[in-house]
């Protein structure tokens, strides 16, 4: 027997008055896959937080309906010590440094390099130059401590090529993985689907509706192309603080669809109703939407940030644009006139995605954790 795998939540979670646990569907799906692949028990540990029932547009699960155990705690180290797991997987955050001193095999996981947080600060219009300067100093100090943690840990799992290139050399056992929720069957379904000919290029943006994700740039691109007489239509998927602004400015080429359930709505919509995903992220965060779009047979046009540049070069599943809406509009306009290029890139993205499905990535991560626990 391998013993227990203990996975630490990246944020504080809570329980509702009726005993439900604040575990979102994406987290629950990943934990369920760990429970399927790990040859032993799986335990999810989260620092206790306050309930905000407005923050999640879905029903939270009951603990007895999950295939893994859940603990909420004010003392993570003590809780983990009591579980006595074979292996621990924890986010690369300073608050988890104490877990490296428990004498248990521990791997850290990094979603993106620390500089992405600086990008978020730099792009936040609410912050002053003084605030940005203070944050830069704090992030520099944090970076030194995080690198020290990577060297101490038994392993490191890096989401995306940019994260791996940044941190892998510091770890004794690094692993590259790609965050995605699209399954083997869903990729196969997308590969079997033949996109129908259309006289309008169907675009979509998916993600949080904030400045740092570029949703306003996606709208600007669509409006510019529409004004230039190029037949395009943009669907906005997701939600966020800019919702009121987006809804207050209707346009005939833009429709606001909002949040879709991932498996039952988002995947079939992106597969069947979208020709090109437009993701103008000015910062290089490791957003799963890039790979998930390619996995549905939808290539991506995005800004030339460090994350998308490396993934695009590896997969061939999209195109790069300079980080300006006018340049992106020029790129999308050229694609509207060259659907053969869109079809070729669609196929390249699907071929890459077939090797990096939800099942494959989680199974590789489990094998990595087993090797750490056995060392």
């Amino acid at each position: 027997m391998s013993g227990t795998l203990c996975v630490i939540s990246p944020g504080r979670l809570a329980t509702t008055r009726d005993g439900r646990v604040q575990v979102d569907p994406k987290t629950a799906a990943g934990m369920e896959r760990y429970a399927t692949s790990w040859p032993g028990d799986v335990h999810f540990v989260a620092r206790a937080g306050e309930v905000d029932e407005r923050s999640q547009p879905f029903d939270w699960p009951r603990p007895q309906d999950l295939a893994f155990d859940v603990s909420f705690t004010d003392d993570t180290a003590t809780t983990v010590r009591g579980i006595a797991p074979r292996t621990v997987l924890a986010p690369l955050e300073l608050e988890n440094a104490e877990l490296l001193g428990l004498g248990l095999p521990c791997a850290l996981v990094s979603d993106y390099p620390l500089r992405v947080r600086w990008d978020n600060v730099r792009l936040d219009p609410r912050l002053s130059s003084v605030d940005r300067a203070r944050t830069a100093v704090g992030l520099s100090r944090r970076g030194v401590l995080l690198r020290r943690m990577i060297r101490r840990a038994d392993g490191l799992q890096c989401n995306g090529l940019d994260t791996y290139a940044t941190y892998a050399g510091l770890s004794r056992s690094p692993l590259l993985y790609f965050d995605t929720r699209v399954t083997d069957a869903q990729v196969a379904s997308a590969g079997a689907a033949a996109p129908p000919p259309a006289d309008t290029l169907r675009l979509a943006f998916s993600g949080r509706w904030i400045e740092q994700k570029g949703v306003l740039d996606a709208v600007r691109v669509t409006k510019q192309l529409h004004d230039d007489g190029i037949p395009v239509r943009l669907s906005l998927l997701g939600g966020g603080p800019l919702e009121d602004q987006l809804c207050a400015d209707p346009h005939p080429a833009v429709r606001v669809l909002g949040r879709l359930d991932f498996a039952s709505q988002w995947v079939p919509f992106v597969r069947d109703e979208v020709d090109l995903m437009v993701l103008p992220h000015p910062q290089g965060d490791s957003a799963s939407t890039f790979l998930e779009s390619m996995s549905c047979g939808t290539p991506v046009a995005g800004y030339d940030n460090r994350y998308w540049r490396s993934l695009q070069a590896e997969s061939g599943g999209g195109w790069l644009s300079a980080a300006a809406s006018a340049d992106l509009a020029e790129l999308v306009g050229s694609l509207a006139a060259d659907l053969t290029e869109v079809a070729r890139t669609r196929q390249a993205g699907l071929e890459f995605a077939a090797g990096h499905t939800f099942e494959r990535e989680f199974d590789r991560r489990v094998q990595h954790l087993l090797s750490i626990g056995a060392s």
Side-chain angles (χ1 to χ4, degrees):
M1 293 295 293
S2 67
T4 298
L5 170 64
C6 184
V7 181
I8 310 301
S9 169
R12 291 183 176 272
L13 301 178
T15 56
T16 62
R17 287 188 296 271
D18 63 353
R20 296 178 181 270
V21 293
Q22 186 187 15
V23 178
D24 64 84
K26 182 176 181 179
T27 300
M31 291 302 304
E32 296 279 353
R33 188 64 197 181
Y34 281 133
T36 298
S37 302
W38 181 265
D41 294 332
V42 175
H43 205 123
F44 186 60
V45 175
R47 291 171 178 83
E50 297 295 324
V51 174
D52 182 3
E53 300 195 30
R54 301 169 300 173
S55 65
Q56 307 291 358
F58 40 74
D59 292 332
W60 295 341
R62 298 184 185 277
Q64 60 268 29
D65 296 330
L66 300 171
F68 52 92
D69 296 321
V70 181
S71 291
F72 296 86
T73 180
D74 294 320
D75 188 341
T76 304
T78 298
T79 299
V80 172
R81 188 184 291 111
I83 295 170
R86 177 67 176 271
T87 309
V88 179
L89 178 64
L92 178 59
E93 297 290 351
L94 296 183
E95 61 190 1
N96 292 321
E98 61 183 349
L99 300 177
L100 300 175
L102 297 179
L104 298 166
C106 183
L108 300 173
V109 57
S110 177
D111 274 333
Y112 48 77
L114 188 63
R115 63 174 166 270
V116 172
R117 297 192 183 183
W118 166 245
D119 289 341
N120 289 336
V121 171
R122 179 176 55 83
L123 295 165
D124 192 332
R126 299 168 297 179
L127 299 180
S128 67
S129 57
V130 173
D131 292 330
R132 293 189 179 95
R134 289 173 178 168
T135 300
V137 172
L139 289 176
S140 295
R141 293 171 178 167
R142 176 184 287 262
V144 172
L145 298 174
L146 292 180
R147 282 173 166 79
R148 189 176 300 165
M149 287 178 63
I150 294 172
R151 293 187 181 98
R152 291 180 60 197
D154 298 285
L156 177 70
Q157 298 192 350
C158 300
N159 180 17
L161 293 154
D162 183 39
T163 308
Y164 188 83
T166 302
Y167 292 141
L170 302 172
S171 173
R172 70 187 76 169
S173 178
L175 174 76
L176 166 66
Y177 77 94
F178 295 94
D179 185 26
T180 179
R181 289 168 287 175
V182 184
T183 65
D184 289 329
Q186 289 167 337
V187 173
S189 175
D199 54 7
T200 298
L201 188 64
R202 301 169 298 177
L203 312 176
F205 171 91
S206 182
R208 290 194 66 204
W209 296 349
I210 56 177
E211 288 87 351
Q212 294 93 327
K213 295 290 188 180
V215 61
L216 297 180
D217 279 12
V219 173
R220 291 187 192 100
V221 165
T222 303
K223 290 181 177 180
Q224 179 178 335
L225 292 172
H226 182 268
D227 291 346
D228 291 342
I230 299 174
V232 295
R233 182 184 69 195
L234 175 70
S235 299
L236 296 177
L237 313 178
L242 294 175
E243 181 172 357
D244 290 343
Q245 180 177 341
L246 292 167
C247 292
D249 184 24
H251 188 274
V254 179
R255 57 176 179 171
V256 180
L257 297 185
R259 293 183 174 90
L260 303 180
D261 175 76
F262 184 77
S264 66
Q265 297 176 309
W266 192 94
V267 168
F269 181 85
V270 174
R271 181 193 64 209
D272 300 334
E273 304 292 336
V274 183
D275 303 309
L276 179 64
M277 187 68 74
V278 179
L279 299 177
H281 293 199
Q283 96 282 44
D285 64 311
S286 304
S288 61
T289 312
F290 289 88
L291 177 54
E292 289 172 344
S293 299
M294 290 189 285
S295 301
C296 295
T298 302
V300 177
Y303 283 162
D304 185 5
N305 62 59
R306 293 177 65 102
Y307 174 77
W308 175 228
R309 184 190 315 143
S310 59
L311 180 57
Q312 187 272 342
E314 185 77 10
S315 67
W319 305 267
L320 301 174
S321 160
S325 58
D327 293 285
L328 184 58
E330 182 178 354
L331 169 63
V332 175
S334 70
L335 295 172
D338 189 1
L339 297 183
T340 300
E341 169 66 5
V342 175
R344 182 196 65 78
T345 307
R346 173 185 185 274
Q347 186 59 36
L350 277 169
E351 290 174 1
F352 178 82
H356 299 282
T357 61
F358 173 76
E359 294 95 338
R360 289 172 182 258
E361 293 302 292
F362 267 93
D363 289 351
R364 289 178 59 247
R365 295 180 71 183
V366 165
Q367 289 304 311
H368 179 247
L369 294 171
L370 286 169
S371 70
I372 288 172
S375 61

